[in-house]
Amino acid sequence: MAIGRGRLLQLQWQCLLARPPPLGCFGSAFGSPGAAAGRAGFRTRPGAMLPSGPAALSRHARQDKVCRRPSAGCSASLDSLPSEVLLKILSYLDAAALLCAGCVSRRFYHLANDNFIWIRLYSAAFSPKRSHWRVDPAEKMDLSVNLLSAGDKEAGYWKKEYLTKQIASVKAALAQVLKPLHPNTGLPVKTKEALRVSGLGWVIILRGADGREYTMEHADLSVNDSSVTVAWYGKDWPPLATLSTLDLCGVTPVFMGKSRAPSRTRPRWHSLITKYQLSQLTESSAVGGDRLMRVFCLPPGLVVGLWKREEELAFVMANLHLHRLVERSMLGSPAVPYELPPHTPVSDDSPERGLHGYRLHVDMHSGGVSCLCGSFRNLSASKGYLENEYMKLSVISFKNNTEHLPLIGKVGLSWKTNSFDGCIKSCSIMDLTLLEEYGQPFWCFSSPVCVRCCPGPSDGPNFLGEAYYVDYSDSEGRLHMELVWIEETEEYFIVSLALYLRLAKVNQWFGTEY
């Protein structure tokens, strides 16, 4: 509505400028001394007389015809208006439109920072709500004082105050939404509501070696138990050979919590999550393929699909674990990712016992279909389970048949583009959340994994079926899972699952010296 009123004022002003000026448009504005002098035959300068009589009337008629002709020199632009008129137009805009107007030029930036415009927006947005119709004299006095002092503040002061309070209010609302935690995962329960309140989304920025940037908006998004899967696909991918890096960023509207849906044309804040090097799309990072697609994995959690024939981009899929996801997607800068606050070591009251009371939640899913969703409690590891700078947590043991679990349904990694879709066999997305004895997330990841055939006989007991394994590792630990394929029921059974936590992480977390 505010933008429409500004456009209407602009059109009215252009119509006024397009009207033919009064008689004598060249230097003889209506009511000007020159016009009066022309009519009376007075001198305009020493030695010069303006003609009068029929000759003057015929000349004015010719000038009037010239003025009525449209010409490029007479076209009106918004930037040619006086500052007072522009400030009046800008006063009808809302805060988001003001920020957009400030990006037009240097002059518009200074005009859009006007304190008198922003103090009215601030007062309208953050004044205390009245429960009665009569205006409180104290509130009216505060507004009057603020209006009087607006001119004493530096330019843009009330704009900064408005933005600071707006962001703080939405962060407080988000903190309340994210407060309830799931008892098994220790992660926020109302993730979907938090995404709705904040307007949070994700983009990828492809950067070429020549400095060009290509921003892609996400095409698909799904929220899982402990992760968010975001996909990008389309027909307008730049050539892969010209690209060097891929930036995964969270994007948030500057004015969060508004009723209107987030739009790429509205002011948004970019928060860098991870920067990927596309030169790492090599055979060592390949995780599988089918007749149309080759799929690669770039840690952490990025899946890149290339068409087999053209070796060009087909889709990109990011798997984002929910642990600190909102902070990572909102509180970073466009160039620097958000850094987690430093961890204060928790004193271990019984270091001789090693690790105890741990909880694990693990999911395996793809395309909205889950083949494994399990929670495990009271996991422990004594000091005797130290192996090559790792401490072992045994989750599922070969020896205990009651712990063995099936993978329900077919294991596969679903992919989709505008024209085709498919499934990469023996691949899936794994979400892991490990909580320490005090219920805090200790190790979290969301990443594609592959079910591979064991090259030799397993170290454990022999089972009636072909043996497979799943491996994953990062800077904080590694996972090893062993499975058996049961031909009769056509399903995998997990017969062993072990976590190996890096000792450096354990010592840093608890202040121990294992």
Side-chain angles (χ1 to χ4, degrees):
M1 179 68 77
I3 297 177
R5 289 197 296 268
R7 182 66 57 83
L8 181 60
L9 288 174
Q10 179 184 0
L11 293 175
Q12 289 177 347
W13 180 257
Q14 290 178 351
C15 291
L16 288 174
L17 292 179
R19 287 184 180 178
L23 210 56
C25 66
F26 297 110
S28 57
F30 182 76
S32 64
R39 288 189 296 270
F42 295 147
R43 292 179 184 268
T44 58
R45 65 180 183 272
M49 290 286 295
L50 289 176
S52 59
L57 292 176
S58 61
R59 178 180 176 182
H60 290 319
R62 289 194 302 269
Q63 290 177 350
D64 186 52
K65 291 181 181 179
V66 172
C67 290
R68 289 178 181 270
R69 296 174 187 171
S71 66
C74 294
S75 62
S77 67
L78 199 61
D79 194 40
S80 64
L81 298 179
S83 297
E84 293 79 5
V85 177
L86 289 176
L87 285 174
K88 184 63 176 177
I89 295 174
L90 294 178
S91 67
Y92 288 99
L93 304 183
D94 59 9
L98 274 176
L99 291 182
C100 294
C103 299
V104 172
S105 64
R106 185 186 297 272
R107 183 190 180 200
F108 272 73
Y109 173 78
H110 291 295
L111 290 174
N113 278 355
D114 184 75
N115 279 331
F116 289 99
I117 296 178
W118 282 100
I119 194 175
R120 293 186 178 276
L121 291 174
Y122 181 93
S123 301
F126 304 115
S127 294
K129 303 299 181 182
R130 295 188 297 269
S131 59
H132 48 85
W133 66 270
R134 185 174 299 176
V135 179
D136 188 353
E139 295 178 16
K140 189 174 181 181
M141 179 63 68
D142 291 340
L143 178 60
S144 301
V145 172
N146 289 334
L147 288 173
L148 290 175
S149 62
D152 300 333
K153 304 290 186 180
E154 67 274 12
Y157 171 83
W158 284 105
K159 171 185 173 182
K160 295 177 184 177
E161 290 292 315
Y162 181 93
L163 295 178
T164 301
K165 196 157 186 177
Q166 173 72 23
I167 294 173
S169 63
V170 176
K171 284 183 178 179
L174 277 177
Q176 292 297 321
V177 173
L178 298 174
K179 198 171 183 179
L181 302 179
H182 195 280
N184 293 330
T185 64
L187 301 173
V189 177
K190 300 180 179 180
T191 302
K192 290 185 179 180
E193 184 177 349
L195 296 180
R196 180 186 58 80
V197 171
S198 63
L200 177 61
W202 292 272
V203 300
I204 54 174
I205 302 176
L206 300 165
R207 302 183 188 275
D210 56 357
R212 293 186 179 182
E213 294 184 359
Y214 307 88
T215 301
M216 310 288 292
E217 302 287 331
H218 74 259
D220 195 10
L221 185 149
S222 60
V223 180
N224 312 301
D225 284 346
S226 51
S227 69
V228 173
T229 301
V230 191
W232 295 263
Y233 51 83
K235 299 180 180 179
D236 299 327
W237 295 100
L240 181 60
T242 64
L243 303 177
S244 58
T245 61
L246 182 151
D247 291 355
L248 173 61
C249 298
V251 288
T252 313
V254 175
F255 300 102
M256 298 173 285
K258 298 295 184 182
S259 58
R260 67 180 67 188
S263 170
R264 62 182 303 178
T265 60
R266 308 284 289 180
R268 299 191 299 177
W269 176 257
H270 286 62
S271 174
L272 176 65
I273 299 176
T274 311
K275 181 183 289 288
Y276 299 91
Q277 299 294 328
L278 295 179
S279 59
Q280 296 178 358
L281 294 176
T282 59
E283 291 297 330
S284 60
S285 62
V287 295
D290 56 17
R291 62 186 183 88
L292 294 176
M293 196 75 59
R294 295 183 67 203
V295 177
F296 300 81
C297 175
L298 297 181
L302 191 74
V303 180
V304 180
L306 303 183
W307 296 112
K308 264 189 175 180
R309 180 176 296 180
E310 296 87 0
E311 287 292 329
E312 293 293 346
L313 289 171
F315 72 90
V316 174
M317 182 191 304
N319 303 282
L320 305 171
H321 198 278
L322 292 183
H323 178 52
R324 300 278 189 175
L325 177 60
V326 174
E327 292 90 335
R328 291 184 290 137
S329 302
M330 294 176 57
L331 302 183
S333 72
V336 180
Y338 168 74
E339 290 188 5
L340 295 176
H343 173 71
T344 303
V346 181
S347 60
D348 193 348
D349 52 357
S350 55
E352 67 280 353
R353 294 176 55 192
L355 307 181
H356 56 89
Y358 278 55
R359 289 179 289 165
L360 172 67
H361 185 81
V362 58
D363 294 327
M364 290 183 67
H365 61 89
S366 180
V369 179
S370 176
C371 60
L372 172 66
C373 181
S375 296
F376 307 87
R377 294 176 176 271
N378 297 323
L379 305 179
S380 61
S382 65
K383 295 176 65 176
Y385 286 87
L386 300 180
E387 299 181 8
N388 299 325
E389 301 299 324
Y390 287 94
M391 182 170 281
K392 180 181 178 181
L393 277 176
S394 180
V395 183
I396 297 177
S397 173
F398 279 117
K399 301 177 181 180
N400 192 347
N401 293 337
T402 60
E403 294 179 351
H404 299 173
L405 294 176
L407 296 184
I408 302 173
K410 294 184 179 180
V411 178
L413 179 63
S414 301
W415 60 268
K416 178 181 178 182
T417 66
N418 292 89
S419 305
F420 302 96
D421 55 22
C423 184
I424 309 298
K425 294 182 179 180
S426 301
C427 292
S428 185
I429 304 299
M430 176 178 285
D431 301 335
L432 181 141
T433 308
L434 180 65
L435 306 180
E436 40 97 302
E437 56 185 294
Y438 300 104
Q440 298 299 317
F442 183 82
W443 184 30
C444 304
F445 70 80
S446 179
S447 174
V449 294
C450 294
V451 181
R452 305 183 188 276
C453 184
C454 288
S458 173
D459 297 334
N462 295 325
F463 293 93
L464 297 177
E466 192 172 359
Y468 292 83
Y469 71 94
V470 172
D471 278 338
Y472 173 84
S473 63
D474 59 24
S475 61
E476 298 186 4
R478 58 188 179 92
L479 172 145
H480 180 72
M481 176 188 294
E482 296 194 18
L483 308 97
V484 173
W485 173 255
I486 306 300
E487 190 67 32
E488 289 78 6
T489 58
E490 295 186 348
E491 61 183 354
Y492 290 101
F493 259 82
I494 304 174
V495 296
S496 175
L497 174 59
L499 307 181
Y500 297 85
L501 306 180
R502 193 176 292 274
L503 282 179
K505 173 67 180 292
V506 176
N507 291 333
Q508 180 266 338
W509 192 270
F510 293 104
T512 54
E513 296 180 357
Y514 292 123

